[in-house]
Amino acid sequence: MAIEGKYVPSPTQWVRDQVEAIEAAGDTRAAQLMDRPVVLLTMRGVSGNVRKVPLMRVEHDGVYAAVASKGGAPENPKWYANLRKNPVLELMDGTRTWTAKARELSGAEREQWWERCVAAYPPYADYQTKTDRQIPVLVLEPVQD
């Protein structure tokens, strides 16, 4: 299921550059964050427009996580509100793309995934110390078409 509609690029230059590199190559390996692999999320924004964001690749047994860290900023990244309102998205890893549904985690399940997220990208632990909010972790579970 493709996310249809008007695509509005990110106002952030490095995000636009990464999305363009991924789309030109047809492969998420064309971009990295902090020298680590990324996945590309395509979602419907709160505004109704299509939005695309590269995120750190966190995967366990075929299920992926999205960490709304924003580098430890006091507020969540904008894509978090998009997924809360419109949880069905397109997820791309490498050259493979599929439909997934975002589900925010809490309790023991969040803690288990948080450990996986920090293992994939250790600075997440430092980001958590910089903010009073608990950094949201969402799982991106495959949807059967």
Side-chain angles (χ1 to χ4, degrees), residues 5-141:
K6 178 183 176 192
Y7 170 56
V8 176
S10 171
T12 306
Q13 186 65 50
W14 70 265
V15 173
R16 288 194 309 273
D17 291 346
Q18 287 199 334
V19 170
E20 288 171 13
I22 290 167
E23 290 185 328
D27 191 333
T28 59
R29 290 170 284 209
Q32 295 183 333
L33 286 173
M34 311 292 191
D35 297 321
R36 293 184 186 259
V38 299
V39 295
L40 181 67
L41 279 61
T42 301
M43 66 196 78
R44 181 153 324 283
V46 172
S47 67
N49 293 319
V50 175
R51 307 299 296 220
K52 298 181 182 193
V53 63
L55 294 180
M56 196 66 64
R57 184 185 187 277
V58 179
E59 181 270 338
H60 179 77
D61 289 342
V63 177
Y64 292 72
V67 181
S69 68
K70 199 174 181 184
E75 70 283 344
N76 292 317
K78 293 196 183 314
W79 62 258
Y80 171 77
N82 295 340
L83 289 181
R84 296 275 301 167
K85 182 172 181 182
N86 302 299
V88 175
L89 65 135
E90 229 175 67
L91 178 59
M92 181 181 192
D93 184 15
T95 58
R96 197 171 143 251
T97 301
W98 64 96
T99 302
K101 186 172 184 180
R103 177 175 60 87
E104 189 165 352
L105 301 178
S106 62
E109 188 180 22
R110 183 201 176 275
E111 291 309 310
Q112 182 180 44
W113 272 97
W114 179 251
E115 289 176 18
R116 293 171 182 155
C117 297
V118 170
Y121 185 62
Y124 283 143
D126 183 49
Y127 294 170
Q128 185 59 76
T129 66
K130 294 179 179 180
T131 183
D132 292 332
R133 67 183 172 92
Q134 183 179 53
I135 294 174
V137 177
L138 299 91
V139 291
L140 309 175
E141 298 168 314

